[in-house]
Amino acid sequence: MTTLRVNEQQLAFLSMVAARENRTVAELVVSAVAAAPAFTGSSGSRPPIPARGHVLEPGTGKAFAVPAGHVLRVEQIAGGQCVDLNVFNLHDRRERLHAGRTRGMQGPHPGLGDVLWSNAPWERPIMAIVASTTRTDTTFPFCSRLIYRAIFGVQDRTNCQEIQNEAQREYGLAPWELHESVNLFMYTADGEILRNESGPGDHIVLLALTDLLAVPNVCGDDLTACNNFGLRPVSVSVTPGSAAELSLGQEAVARAAGLGLPEPQHLPAPQPLHADPSYEPAFPYLPQLAEVLVPVRYDEARIADAALRDIVLTWAIARLGTFGG
């Protein structure tokens, strides 16, 4: 016997595909493995690292106050996990990170030495990337109920939109105040989501250029290569910027300023953000482990847990096209 380890919402998806074919999930697994090309296993993968700072578990996010001159560090623990990032001006919630302006000024994949830009009428650098061992993306929107329903035919499951809504609620931000995220550790090219190549210890460090509220969340997509068909924790920390990080931030801002910045705007009184002391997290759809026993024994050295899950879900998602979506 072999055990397929997935989470409950992945099992619900596989059960839907199996029902359409009048088969069991175990039978799907056998078909998927039989159709898969030779797999060499994952012997080269790095082991997880100890977490430092606050651990964001799958299905959750957290709002962090990041004063000017401090850095937000987001780091992989096991690897392979995309993180959605929203950012707001701590003293005026109307100013926030603008993924489109950032994409227009820095390209689709901002990296070391680039800045993240805010929305109009401010349109200014609010964070600088001062260290990075990974990729970013500004082209794909956050996953949501709509996306899962339209593409996969499923709906009530963990998704970035609802995770973000809950995480930012701690500071009184309403669901309609979320914005398009900058996607950390997301590998894309030519409008396509690629396999996530981040490994344990890969990280990105962003310097706050003004007082900010940063809200990272663990991307809930477990049905594409965005997170390699799994959901994993990441660690987040906020610390004072080092001299080297502050210097890199200044250089990044100087380059951005050379592009031309709007004149300061005289606006009505701002709306500061502050934490609600009575806030208790209530994230929906926290994924739980599920197991399927398959009446075939596969070589565990050749096909590990993650590889089997990858093979089966890739095959099942491809089957959706057979049924017309």
Side-chain angles (χ1 to χ4, degrees):
M1 299 287 284
T2 297
T3 301
L4 170 68
R5 294 179 174 85
V6 292
N7 62 50
E8 288 181 343
Q9 59 193 25
Q10 289 173 323
L11 179 57
F13 170 75
L14 291 173
S15 298
M16 179 190 72
V17 176
R20 290 185 178 189
E21 297 204 349
N22 195 30
R23 292 200 282 173
T24 66
V25 173
E27 289 170 335
L28 290 188
V29 174
V30 174
S31 296
V33 174
F39 193 86
T40 57
S42 56
S43 59
S45 63
R46 291 173 278 166
I49 65 167
R52 51 175 153 183
H54 183 94
V55 176
L56 293 185
E57 296 290 349
T60 74
K62 181 75 172 73
F64 296 88
V66 189
H70 284 57
V71 294
L72 175 80
R73 180 187 180 99
V74 186
E75 185 170 41
Q76 297 285 332
I77 297 174
Q81 179 62 52
C82 175
V83 175
D84 281 36
L85 178 66
N86 272 219
V87 182
F88 301 84
N89 183 324
L90 191 62
H91 304 298
D92 189 345
R93 67 207 303 153
R94 297 168 298 179
E95 183 182 19
R96 59 201 65 184
L97 169 62
H98 195 286
R101 181 61 67 232
T102 300
R103 180 173 61 251
M105 302 299 284
Q106 308 290 175
H109 311 292
L112 180 63
D114 289 335
V115 296
L116 307 185
W117 295 74
S118 67
N119 59 311
W122 296 271
E123 291 188 297
R124 61 171 178 161
I126 55 173
M127 298 192 99
I129 301 176
V130 295
S132 178
T133 63
T134 185
R135 288 281 295 276
T136 66
D137 170 79
T138 61
T139 62
F140 278 86
F142 48 74
C143 59
S144 68
R145 284 170 169 262
L146 171 65
I147 293 293
Y148 283 113
R149 182 64 182 172
I151 298 177
F152 301 107
V154 294
Q155 183 166 299
D156 294 329
R157 62 192 338 277
T158 182
N159 63 81
C160 294
Q161 180 184 20
E162 291 180 272
I163 297 171
Q164 177 67 33
N165 288 344
E166 176 55 33
Q168 69 186 36
R169 186 174 67 84
E170 180 180 1
Y171 277 74
L173 286 159
W176 53 86
E177 293 183 278
L178 89 168
H179 61 72
E180 285 295 342
S181 60
V182 166
N183 305 308
L184 312 180
F185 309 101
M186 188 175 186
Y187 290 72
T188 65
D190 302 322
E192 180 182 358
I193 297 176
L194 308 177
R195 293 192 62 78
N196 195 315
E197 297 180 10
S198 63
D202 279 336
H203 58 273
I204 185 166
V205 181
L206 301 112
L207 173 70
L209 303 174
T210 189
D211 294 343
L212 299 171
L213 182 75
V215 193
N217 77 69
V218 176
C219 173
D221 180 4
D222 57 3
L223 291 181
T224 78
C226 178
N227 300 310
N228 299 342
F229 301 98
L231 300 176
R232 306 164 189 85
V234 298
S235 62
V236 180
S237 60
V238 176
T239 57
S242 67
E245 290 167 338
L246 293 172
S247 178
L248 285 171
Q250 291 172 354
E251 293 172 7
V253 171
R255 284 192 296 272
L259 301 173
L261 301 177
E263 293 295 323
Q265 301 287 320
H266 297 288
L267 301 170
Q271 306 171 53
L273 293 168
H274 55 84
D276 177 358
S278 64
Y279 171 77
E280 292 290 340
F283 292 99
Y285 316 124
L286 295 176
Q288 304 295 321
L289 179 66
E291 296 184 343
V292 177
L293 292 178
V294 183
V296 176
R297 181 170 180 81
Y298 299 111
D299 182 356
E300 294 181 3
R302 189 174 69 88
I303 305 181
D305 281 353
L308 182 61
R309 181 174 63 242
D310 193 316
I311 289 169
V312 173
L313 284 164
T314 299
W315 182 89
I317 290 165
R319 295 294 292 169
L320 285 181
T322 303
F323 308 114

